């Protein structure tokens, strides 16, 4: 079986035996005031085989809950109460409803300082980011796993969904210090003796696994990753980043990072996948089949890098206002990846990818694209977003001879300060290139209501924008020379 998918579908085989021994110290009034002013502080320390998390909490509370209280994919049971343990006397870590909660065993208020020992096992988690283990002993931890929020009510079993939502709004991302007694950590794209993060969507690397730096990118590659995959990541990814930076200007991060891990030549399964976070792409590979070079795997891996790297600009430098507008970022990133692959990989078949976008939008476009997430039809964001991007690109080409990069670049530049790219701005840019005054309104209606016959809508859209195609029944067929 071969998988290339987000982390929610990956298998992870990580075995760590971690322990620590410490006593929580009382906190003075002065320290409490300082903590309250600065928010929750956490220090993560690795000392040889021992790991610990020391918390300084910023207010009095009956309990503290973890924002990311996910379950194991295999058993749908919570992983944290199994893998972490409270070291502070009287404090317990347990599951309450859907939350992993820290509280006092006797129901008294929580102390301001607590310590935890960590024993992560690296299992695959439901819609969450696991520990990443490299074969040389290096470890990458997800920052969001340590964020907590206060719960004031002592009757935890009686908490309502509204009360939990109110409690969540009182918390914020913790400021986390990262220390490794063995040497520097890699945090925020830099090696440092003590890293600090205030971002719940990042990884921090402990250890000295292979790191390669260029002017615009850092790649971290597992030393046991098959050479043909490692070489592809280390050579192709910097070229993609350079291409986007030249075309679109600075991205969200000065020097983003790509981490690639290897989970061994497991027989009977081939998994390769990953995810994107601010300034970071994480990939993992597993399976005996990957020991031998494969053009299919290389192409899929390059496509993944090209699409996810596009999000450093379209998705992070500027993002959609709401998830219902994900067609802007996902479809837009797909067309960015197509154009980057064409420029960098002469073997890439752009028509095959674009035809699938059109076919899928015909299949899914009879319902509102903006409501795709609620229906579970997330593919509509990619496919129909790419179809709309193809139309916008054709208008750009007809007006100036430019391409999809030329359509996007001023939108990204004009919205850097706000960090949000609105549908109205996207459509206004489209209208500025078109002589068709009704085109933007028709796209607006398609996004909100769908089209009774999506093939008819797409055909009309392509006719008005100047995208070449042929009609074969209910299918919109791109020409063999489609670019």
């Amino acid at each position: 079986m071969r998988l290339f998918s987000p982390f929610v579908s990956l298998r992870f085989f990580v075995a760590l035996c971690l322990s620590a021994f410490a006593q929580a110290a009382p906190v003075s009034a002065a320290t409490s005031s300082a903590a309250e002013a600065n928010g929750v502080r956490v220090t993560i320390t690795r000392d040889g085989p021992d790991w610990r998390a020391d918390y300084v909490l910023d207010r009095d509370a009956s309990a503290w809950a973890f924002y990311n209280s996910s379950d194991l994919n295999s058993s749908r049971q919570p992983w944290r109460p199994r893998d972490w343990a409270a070291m502070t006397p009287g404090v317990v870590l347990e599951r309450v409803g859907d939350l992993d909660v820290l509280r006092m065993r006797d129901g008294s208020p929580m102390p301001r300082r607590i310590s935890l020992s960590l024993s992560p096992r690296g299992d695959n988690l439901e819609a969450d980011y696991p520990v990443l283990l490299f074969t040389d002993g290096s470890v990458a931890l997800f920052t969001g796993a340590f964020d907590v929020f206060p719960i004031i009510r002592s009757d935890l079993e009686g908490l309502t969904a509204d009360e939990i939502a109110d409690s969540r709004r009182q918390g914020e991302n913790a400021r986390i210090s990262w220390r490794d007694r063995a040497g520097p950590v890699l945090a925020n794209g830099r090696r440092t003796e003590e890293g600090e993060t205030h971002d719940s969507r990042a990884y921090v690397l402990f250890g000295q696994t292979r790191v390669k730096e260029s002017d615009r990118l850092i790649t971290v590659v597992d030393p046991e990753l098959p050479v043909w995959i490692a070489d592809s990541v280390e050579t192709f990814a910097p070229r993609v980043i350079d291409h986007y930076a030249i075309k679109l200007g600075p991205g969200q991060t000065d020097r983003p990072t790509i981490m690639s891990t290897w989970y061994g030549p497991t027989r009977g399964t081939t998994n390769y996948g990953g995810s994107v976070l601010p300034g970071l792409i994480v990939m993992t590979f597993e399976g005996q089949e990957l020991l031998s070079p494969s053009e299919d795997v290389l192409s899929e891996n390059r496509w993944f890098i090209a699409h996810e790297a596009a999000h450093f600009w379209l998705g992070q430098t500027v993002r959609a206002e709401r998830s219902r507008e994900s067609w802007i970022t996902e479809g837009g990133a797909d067309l960015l990846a197509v154009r980057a692959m064409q420029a960098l990989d002469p073997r890439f078949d752009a028509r095959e990818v674009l035809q699938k976008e059109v076919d899928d939008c015909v299949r899914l476009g009879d319902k509102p694209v903006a409501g795709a997430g609620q229906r579970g039809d997330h593919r509509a964001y990619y496919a129909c977003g790419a179809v709309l991007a193809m139309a916008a690109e054709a208008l750009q080409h007809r007006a100036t001879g430019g391409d999809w990069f030329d359509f996007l670049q001023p939108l990204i530049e004009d919205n850097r300060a706000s960090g949000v790219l609105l549908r109205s701005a996207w459509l206004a840019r489209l209208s500025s290139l078109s002589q068709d005054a009704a085109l933007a309104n028709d796209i607006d209606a398609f996004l909100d209501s769908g089209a009774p016959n999506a093939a008819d809508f797409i055909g009309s859209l392509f006719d008005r924008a100047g995208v070449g195609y042929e009609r074969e029944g209910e299918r919109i067929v791109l020409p063999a020379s489609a670019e």
Side-chain angles (χ1 to χ4, degrees), residues 44-198:
I44 309 299
T45 305
R46 180 172 80 163
D47 189 358
D50 299 334
W51 295 70
R52 62 182 290 160
D54 296 306
Y55 280 78
V56 180
L57 305 170
D58 66 345
R59 69 196 70 188
D60 294 326
S62 299
W64 290 79
F66 290 88
Y67 283 98
N68 288 24
S69 295
S70 51
D71 291 333
L72 297 161
N73 249 354
S74 57
S75 64
R76 306 209 68 188
Q77 296 297 309
W79 63 269
R80 191 178 276 108
R82 182 197 68 177
D83 297 345
W84 294 9
M87 300 160 60
T88 305
V91 176
V92 294
L93 171 58
E94 61 185 5
R95 187 70 155 202
V96 179
D98 293 329
L99 296 174
D100 294 334
V101 173
L102 290 163
R103 67 170 183 85
M104 293 298 290
R105 192 182 303 276
D106 62 6
S108 60
M110 283 280 290
R112 291 290 190 93
R113 284 180 179 262
I114 60 170
S115 296
L116 308 175
S117 63
L118 313 176
S119 300
R121 306 189 192 185
D123 301 271
N124 187 17
L125 308 180
E126 290 187 349
D128 203 356
Y129 297 89
V131 169
L132 302 178
L133 184 70
F134 294 77
T135 55
D136 66 350
S138 298
V139 177
L141 298 180
F142 179 56
T143 59
F146 299 94
D147 281 332
V148 293
F149 62 91
I151 296 178
I152 307 304
R153 177 171 170 169
S154 59
D155 178 16
L156 300 180
E157 297 292 346
L159 278 172
T160 67
D162 287 344
E163 287 172 323
I164 292 172
D166 288 341
S167 294
R168 284 178 180 272
R169 283 191 284 271
Q170 295 181 48
E172 61 181 30
N173 296 342
R175 292 192 178 275
I176 307 178
S177 297
W178 307 85
R179 301 171 181 171
D180 187 356
R181 305 296 188 199
V185 298
L186 181 67
N188 302 316
R190 294 191 300 273
R191 289 278 195 187
T192 178
E193 291 299 323
E194 180 174 331
E196 182 169 305
T197 61
H198 192 206

Side-chain angles (χ1 to χ4, degrees), residues 41 61 76 100 104 113 145 184 188 205 225 305 327 336 358 374 417 420 427 439 453 459-460:
R41 301 287 308 220
R76 306 209 68 188
D100 294 334
M104 293 298 290
R113 284 180 179 262
N188 302 316
L205 177 70
L225 187 67
I305 292 172
W327 61 272
L336 284 175
V358 173
Q374 293 175 315
V420 177
L427 291 175
L439 183 58
N453 188 313
S460 173

